[in-house]
Amino acid sequence: MRLIHQRMFLKGLFNAKNPMNKMQWHKKKNEDVIEQLQSSLGGLSPAEARKRLSEYGPNELMEKKKKTPLMMFLDQFKDFMILVLIAAAIVSGIIGEPSDTIAIVVIVVLNAIIGFVQEYRAEKAMVALKQMAAPFATVIRDGMPANIPASALVPGDIVILDAGNVVPADMRLTETAMLKIEEAALTGESVPVEKHTKALHDEHLPLGDRKNMAYKGTFTTYGRGMGVVTATGMDTELGKIAAMLQEEEEVKIPLQKRLAKFGQKLAIAVLAICAIVFGIGILRGEAPLLMLLTAISLAVAAIPEALPAVVTISLALGAKKMVKQNALIRKLPAVETLGSVTYICSDKTGTLTLNKMTVEEIYVDGKLVRAEEQKSGRSEATDFRTSALLRFPTSALFTALALSNDAQVDASGNVIGDPTEIALYNIARDKGFDKRELEKKFPRVAEIPFDSDRKCMTTIHGAEEQKSRSAEGKTSELPSFRSNFVSFTKGAIEVLIDKSDYILISDGLKAVDKAEIHKASERMATDGLRVLGIAMRRWDKLPDDMSLENVETGLTILGLVGMMDPPREEAKEAVALCKTAGIRPVMITGDHPITAKTIAERLGIIEDDSRHIITGRELERLPLEEFETRVEHIRVYARVAPEQKLKIIKALQDRGQFVAMTGDGVNDAPALKRADIGIAMGITGTDLSKEASDMILLDDNFATIVKAVKEGRKIYDNIRKFIKYLLTTNSGEIWTLFLAPLAGLPIPLLPIHILWINLMTDGLPALALSVEPAEGDVMRRQPRHPQESIFAGGLGLHAIWVGLLMAGIVLFVQAWSIKTGNAHWQTMVFTVLCLTQLGHVLAIRSESESLFKIGLFSNNALLGAVVLSFAFQIATIYAPVLNPIFKTEPLTLNELIFTLGLSSVVFFAVEIEKFVRRKKWQMS
């Protein structure tokens, strides 16, 4: 049966065969849910549970069949570029160049190992998701509670939830007692959700608003509850995420696409040219064996065997640098992908915000002020009699926030408790009202806990006998206040208004002006704040009747507080930098639209334009065609479900955009995997989101992404420079061998010369380009177009004309030397071709700036590589032991000066090209 269910999952699982999938349990009454599930509050019988377990399968997340490690490793050799390199290695071995064969094999194996490690690590995502599941659950079977493995749960089971429990399956709640569940990882809601049992009638209600449901993998933070299981295993919301995660294919990154196309085009072109060179040589009467070796040597030299090594080294060095900047790269190609990103789709909670509820605004004494601007009134609070509280509104408010609060300080000094309670505790403490000190004066003697139906809570405090010192320093007894009590009630302001008669201002008590308070509350709500009211009442003695009707009436409103999970300060700067770099930031959240809009406006993601905002409900009703026409203009998505995040990313990708997705929750994992680059949060991120990502922000700082974008753009620039260098040098060699016979000249280079130039110029200098510093305008450019060819920006044209210039110089040297009877012509041709390529690598260090401006010593690795290659080339000319190997002869001083002078022509020609380009940019 388990195998059957696994096959169902692989087909999609969510089909009409399972009636549970079509139910909207949040719309139904408790009794209807229990009846449709053929259960009762006494639970299922063991026999019925076994029957249903056989029918529905275990309450587990199932995995599709994995590739074996061996298949993962072998798959790394399927890339066209890798196959070309393997062919080049075989040819090199045949023509007696074992060093080339060894070098190519090492490069290919190294790349395969790196690719294997990345793919193997990516398979851990399902393991992380499974770890979220609860191992055990408390159920009622045959009317008796029992602790069973959570995997044995079936639809219809009655499950008991207590604080600290992981919800073991999707459930319709049938009983709640101050139950709060942390759903941030699933829905993005930043605070625990207060649950109830009433039916909800909205058909398109997002998960975060289905407050009569509890979902598998979420966490019970407060209270207790009971519910009937409506879905298990892959039918749960967590299971749907697991299915999306496994069904989503990782998108091939821009670099992989560009290099694959480049490799195919280059291999075909090289083979065609080598065949032409071989044919022309034969027609001119050259020795067939010499022409075959020349053509093969040219093919080996033209195949860019160093390209995978340069790319890998560039990405590895970039990844190493980024770790120091708090960005951990899980997949090396992701470093470069950041340079292509056009959209960053970011989760709000914990990514753009602090994931910490904070009091932002306070309404007290008839005034609405920012929390940081509100004076504490601490000097008023020296008199701790209950009567004194009615003279000082600000002191009364902060005293109430501190005392009517269940947050506590642990042994490490951290404040623990409900996020809302922590926010109130912190603002009171910051204003000088420490709960621990105040509790000595006003100890809590009774309380009426929070109830989601009445939306408030009340605590009652007594006043301890006080002593004070007179002006003469004598201790005097204050009147005994053991008989005085004060109650503080906090909750939804619309509830408190109906329970209150007065409001406290500095002039004393005045009758409640409901319109004025509603206006202040609406003003705070418009700012995206969660508004809480605080009221008090004095008692001469502890009330005998602790009923709600007696205690929570005749109250005096002290004020309102507005709270929110505030945006990170550094995120605002990061958003601005993204815009400068041509990257459009988009917020995708499960939170309320008003809150999302407020955060987006404060961060600069949107201006005051509601057209840039859409809710999950609106998105669900929007036809796909219309959505794809609007998707590039929307900046905020609120109240979205996990599958809608995928819809957003796919729509952007269908429009030709490259998308980065940041997130920290379980609900982000499928989108992180689908995105061109997935970015997880290192501190607040779940294990699942990290395993599904390409990059992890170790400091959860959105600004770190901007640094990564800069590094990615720099790396791509350097890879392009290498390719430009590679194509130009190979172009020079090919044009030289191709045009010489057409000009009536003998073959100018021997096979050993071709392979040596390939080793010297395509080796160390090319690798040193990977550490070239970033250009000055790297973060002022628009992102590269996702479909941009690797030859864009004139790269291909540059390779052709500079290659022709190299060939022209070499053939001029050859023709002139032969005409003048110079016996050293081949050594001179060999040297000029090698040195022109070294001059060229210095000239292309920048796309536009002159070498004289950026400085010769700004890349010491490249300078050292050029000097070393120059020394080796001179050694082939003047070292007697090398002359017979390379078929060279020592040049005279005049010949050497002549070759050096001509070798510098390419350098100055490219400098002139950059000068002309700069002038064009200035004129435009």
Side-chain angles (χ1 to χ4, degrees):
M1 182 55 64
R2 179 167 183 166
L3 181 59
I4 292 173
H5 277 270
Q6 189 165 4
R7 287 172 180 167
M8 287 174 67
F9 157 66
L10 293 175
K11 292 178 181 178
L13 191 67
F14 313 116
N15 51 50
K17 291 181 181 179
N18 190 345
M20 301 300 107
N21 292 328
K22 300 296 182 182
M23 297 294 182
Q24 291 186 312
W25 300 109
H26 66 281
K27 294 177 58 181
K28 302 179 183 296
K29 295 180 180 179
N30 286 338
E31 52 268 27
D32 294 337
V33 173
I34 292 173
E35 181 182 348
Q36 287 190 343
L37 290 168
Q38 298 178 7
S39 183
S40 70
L41 292 177
L44 302 172
S45 68
E48 179 64 20
R50 285 193 297 272
K51 177 183 175 183
R52 295 191 184 192
L53 185 63
S54 175
E55 180 182 352
Y56 293 108
N59 180 31
E60 295 176 341
L61 302 183
M62 298 184 182
E63 300 180 59
K64 64 182 180 182
K65 187 177 179 181
K66 293 182 179 180
K67 285 193 291 187
T68 65
L70 177 61
M71 286 304 299
M72 284 186 198
F73 184 73
L74 293 178
D75 281 348
Q76 309 306 316
F77 297 93
K78 291 181 179 178
D79 187 82
F80 183 81
M81 194 71 186
I82 297 300
L83 294 175
V84 170
L85 289 178
I86 292 172
I90 294 171
V91 171
S92 296
I94 292 172
I95 65 173
E97 294 294 335
S99 59
D100 270 15
T101 301
I102 294 170
I104 294 172
V105 168
V106 168
I107 289 169
V108 168
V109 172
L110 178 63
N111 276 274
I113 291 172
I114 291 172
F116 166 77
V117 170
Q118 290 171 359
E119 187 173 347
Y120 184 77
R121 288 172 63 185
E123 291 294 330
K124 293 182 180 178
M126 274 303 296
V127 176
L129 192 62
K130 282 186 169 183
Q131 288 174 348
M132 291 190 62
F136 295 96
T138 302
V139 300
I140 295 177
R141 295 250 172 107
D142 265 349
M144 299 295 292
N147 197 34
I148 65 170
S151 60
L153 285 176
V154 295
D157 261 328
I158 304 297
V159 176
I160 297 172
L161 294 176
D162 286 306
N165 289 162
V166 175
V167 179
D170 284 5
M171 300 162 50
R172 171 65 165 86
L173 295 171
T174 58
E175 180 183 319
T176 60
M178 297 176 286
L179 180 65
K180 294 185 180 181
I181 297 180
E182 171 65 67
E183 296 179 340
L186 186 65
T187 67
E189 185 68 56
S190 57
V191 296
V193 179
E194 300 161 7
K195 296 294 184 177
H196 60 71
T197 61
K198 294 180 292 187
L200 301 168
H201 302 293
D202 192 332
E203 183 177 351
H204 300 285
L205 210 58
L207 291 183
D209 289 334
R210 298 181 186 180
K211 296 185 179 181
N212 56 9
M213 299 289 296
Y215 296 105
K216 181 180 177 71
T218 57
F219 185 72
T220 307
T221 62
Y222 192 80
R224 60 182 178 80
M226 187 165 68
V228 56
V229 173
T230 57
T232 59
M234 297 303 294
D235 289 329
T236 63
E237 295 299 327
L238 194 67
K240 292 176 184 178
I241 291 175
M244 287 189 288
L245 189 63
Q246 296 186 81
E247 289 168 1
E248 280 307 316
E249 294 295 329
E250 292 193 43
V251 179
K252 218 174 188 186
I253 66 161
L255 186 63
Q256 290 172 320
K257 294 176 182 177
R258 294 184 181 102
L259 290 182
K261 290 180 181 178
F262 170 69
Q264 291 173 7
K265 291 177 181 178
L266 184 63
I268 293 169
V270 165
L271 293 176
I273 291 172
C274 289
I276 292 171
V277 168
F278 175 78
I280 291 175
I282 295 297
L283 291 174
R284 291 190 71 254
E286 299 285 354
L289 181 59
L290 174 63
M291 288 312 304
L292 177 63
L293 290 176
T294 300
I296 291 175
S297 299
L298 183 59
V300 171
I303 295 297
E305 71 272 11
L307 181 57
V310 169
V311 171
T312 301
I313 290 170
S314 297
L315 297 177
L317 291 174
K320 182 179 179 182
K321 181 177 180 180
M322 289 168 66
V323 167
K324 297 177 182 178
Q325 298 173 339
N326 292 314
L328 176 65
I329 301 300
R330 295 188 67 252
K331 301 173 184 176
L332 274 184
V335 177
E336 181 273 339
T337 310
L338 282 162
S340 295
V341 162
T342 56
Y343 277 79
I344 297 179
C345 295
S346 173
D347 187 46
K348 176 185 73 69
T349 305
T351 308
L352 293 167
T353 66
L354 295 171
N355 198 18
K356 176 184 177 183
M357 289 297 286
T358 305
V359 174
E360 296 264 312
E361 293 180 0
I362 296 173
Y363 177 79
V364 65
D365 199 9
K367 304 182 208 54
L368 180 62
V369 295
R370 300 288 300 171
E372 62 270 17
E373 298 170 3
Q374 175 62 54
K375 295 181 180 179
S376 69
R378 189 68 181 94
S379 59
E380 306 165 355
T382 55
D383 188 348
F384 289 98
R385 292 171 293 179
T386 57
S387 58
L389 293 176
L390 292 178
R391 299 201 302 272
F392 307 113
T394 305
S395 296
L397 176 64
F398 288 126
T399 300
L401 294 179
L403 289 171
S404 186
N405 197 312
D406 290 330
Q408 300 291 336
V409 178
D410 63 16
S412 303
N414 299 315
V415 185
I416 56 175
D418 180 87
T420 298
E421 300 275 72
I422 293 173
L424 301 179
Y425 181 100
N426 286 336
I427 188 66
R429 184 179 60 180
D430 292 345
K431 299 300 181 180
F433 293 79
D434 186 88
K435 177 183 176 181
R436 290 170 293 184
E437 292 297 320
L438 287 171
E439 281 183 329
K440 297 176 184 177
K441 312 298 181 182
F442 295 107
R444 186 184 298 191
V445 294
E447 66 181 283
I448 303 176
F450 179 86
D451 187 312
S452 58
D453 290 329
R454 79 181 204 283
K455 298 181 180 179
C456 61
M457 67 172 284
T458 295
T459 59
I460 303 178
H461 305 263
E464 192 179 71
E465 184 174 312
Q466 302 295 314
K467 294 184 179 182
S468 66
R469 291 188 178 272
S470 65
E472 292 78 21
K474 297 178 181 179
T475 301
S476 62
E477 292 288 340
L478 286 172
S480 173
F481 294 103
R482 292 186 186 278
S483 60
N484 287 343
F485 297 87
V486 61
S487 65
F488 296 114
T489 301
K490 68 180 181 187
I493 189 59
E494 63 270 18
V495 174
L496 286 191
I497 285 179
D498 293 333
K499 297 175 182 287
S500 302
D501 297 330
Y502 303 99
I503 183 170
L504 180 62
I505 60 174
S506 55
D507 293 334
L509 299 179
K510 80 168 189 176
V512 170
D513 185 340
K514 292 186 178 182
E516 180 184 342
I517 294 176
H518 275 305
K519 182 179 178 181
S521 175
E522 289 171 3
R523 165 73 173 77
M524 297 166 85
T526 302
D527 289 339
L529 303 180
R530 180 187 177 195
V531 183
L532 202 65
I534 297 92
M536 68 170 283
R537 179 180 174 183
R538 287 184 60 203
W539 302 82
D540 291 330
K541 64 175 184 176
L542 187 67
D544 296 323
D545 180 5
M546 291 294 292
S547 66
L548 302 177
E549 294 76 12
N550 181 55
V551 175
E552 294 179 350
T553 188
L555 303 179
T556 297
I557 292 177
L558 300 177
L560 312 177
V561 292
M563 296 168 287
M564 77 181 316
D565 177 15
R568 295 175 177 269
E569 285 298 323
E570 61 272 23
K572 184 174 183 179
E573 181 182 351
V575 166
L577 287 172
C578 281
K579 289 184 173 182
T580 302
I583 300 168
R584 281 162 275 191
V586 173
M587 179 193 294
I588 303 179
T589 178
D591 218 333
H592 289 282
I594 293 177
T595 304
K597 179 176 182 288
T598 300
I599 296 293
E601 287 177 342
R602 288 173 61 172
L603 288 172
I605 292 175
I606 60 171
E607 305 299 331
D608 189 14
D609 187 348
S610 59
R611 292 176 301 173
H612 295 321
I613 304 172
I614 190 171
T615 64
R617 185 180 302 178
E618 293 169 332
L619 180 59
E620 185 177 349
R621 296 170 178 171
L622 200 64
L624 181 61
E625 296 78 13
E626 184 180 347
F627 175 55
E628 290 203 347
T629 63
R630 291 180 55 189
V631 68
E632 292 178 299
H633 304 289
I634 299 171
R635 295 291 177 267
V636 176
Y637 297 85
R639 281 297 192 213
V640 295
E643 58 270 19
Q644 290 178 318
K645 294 185 178 185
L646 279 174
K647 181 179 179 180
I648 294 163
I649 288 176
K650 288 178 179 178
L652 284 170
Q653 290 173 336
D654 288 345
R655 299 289 292 180
Q657 304 294 341
F658 266 85
V659 185
M661 167 73 185
T662 72
D664 57 2
V666 174
N667 57 338
D668 297 322
L672 287 173
K673 186 174 181 181
R674 171 69 193 191
D676 295 285
I677 177 167
I679 307 170
M681 301 296 111
I683 299 173
T684 59
T686 59
D687 288 344
L688 177 63
S689 65
K690 294 175 186 176
E691 293 296 345
S693 69
D694 303 292
M695 184 175 90
I696 300 172
L697 300 183
L698 300 178
D699 58 356
D700 284 13
N701 193 335
F702 189 83
T704 303
I705 298 173
V706 180
K707 300 175 185 175
V709 167
K710 180 178 180 180
E711 191 67 23
R713 291 187 176 190
K714 182 198 82 172
I715 286 171
Y716 184 71
D717 281 353
N718 290 346
I719 292 173
R720 265 179 55 92
K721 289 170 188 175
F722 167 76
I723 292 174
K724 177 189 281 191
Y725 177 60
L726 173 95
L727 285 181
T728 306
T729 55
N730 290 355
S731 171
E733 294 165 19
I734 290 171
W735 283 121
T736 298
L737 292 172
F738 181 73
L739 295 176
L742 298 180
L745 297 171
I747 297 298
L749 297 169
L750 297 175
I752 186 67
H753 296 156
I754 298 171
L755 295 174
W756 173 257
I757 292 173
N758 179 56
L759 178 64
M760 281 296 97
T761 61
D762 291 3
L764 292 177
L767 292 174
L769 280 174
S770 64
V771 295
E772 185 66 33
E775 299 206 33
D777 66 341
V778 70
M779 290 301 287
R780 294 194 297 272
R781 309 176 197 155
Q782 293 295 303
R784 297 186 309 276
H785 191 281
Q787 306 302 324
E788 178 183 282
S789 166
I790 206 162
F791 300 101
L795 187 149
L797 183 63
H798 174 95
I800 293 172
W801 81 259
V802 175
L804 280 170
L805 178 60
M806 287 181 181
I809 295 169
V810 170
L811 295 179
F812 169 77
V813 171
Q814 182 184 16
W816 180 83
S817 299
I818 292 174
K819 186 177 181 179
T820 58
N822 192 322
H824 300 160
W825 69 266
Q826 196 163 53
T827 301
M828 293 174 69
V829 165
F830 174 39
T831 304
V832 167
L833 186 55
C834 183
L835 298 186
T836 55
Q837 295 182 3
L838 295 180
H840 179 247
V841 77
L842 292 173
I844 63 167
R845 284 184 51 195
S846 172
E847 290 279 349
S848 57
E849 296 296 337
S850 169
L851 176 66
F852 302 107
K853 181 176 180 180
I854 64 176
L856 194 62
F857 296 96
S858 55
N859 185 346
N860 290 326
L862 180 60
L863 180 62
V866 169
V867 170
L868 192 62
S869 296
F870 177 81
F872 281 140
Q873 179 61 30
I874 295 300
T876 63
I877 301 171
Y878 294 105
V881 70
L882 298 178
N883 290 148
I885 297 174
F886 289 94
K887 307 296 188 293
T888 55
E889 297 172 300
L891 300 178
T892 65
L893 180 60
N894 288 336
E895 290 170 341
L896 181 61
I897 293 173
F898 179 67
T899 58
L900 291 175
L902 287 176
S903 299
S904 67
V905 170
V906 168
F907 170 81
F908 288 108
V910 175
E911 284 291 329
I912 292 170
E913 177 196 33
K914 293 192 292 182
F915 175 78
V916 172
R917 185 180 297 142
R918 288 196 301 272
K919 289 300 180 183
K920 285 183 178 179
W921 287 348
Q922 290 171 4
M923 292 174 65
S924 61

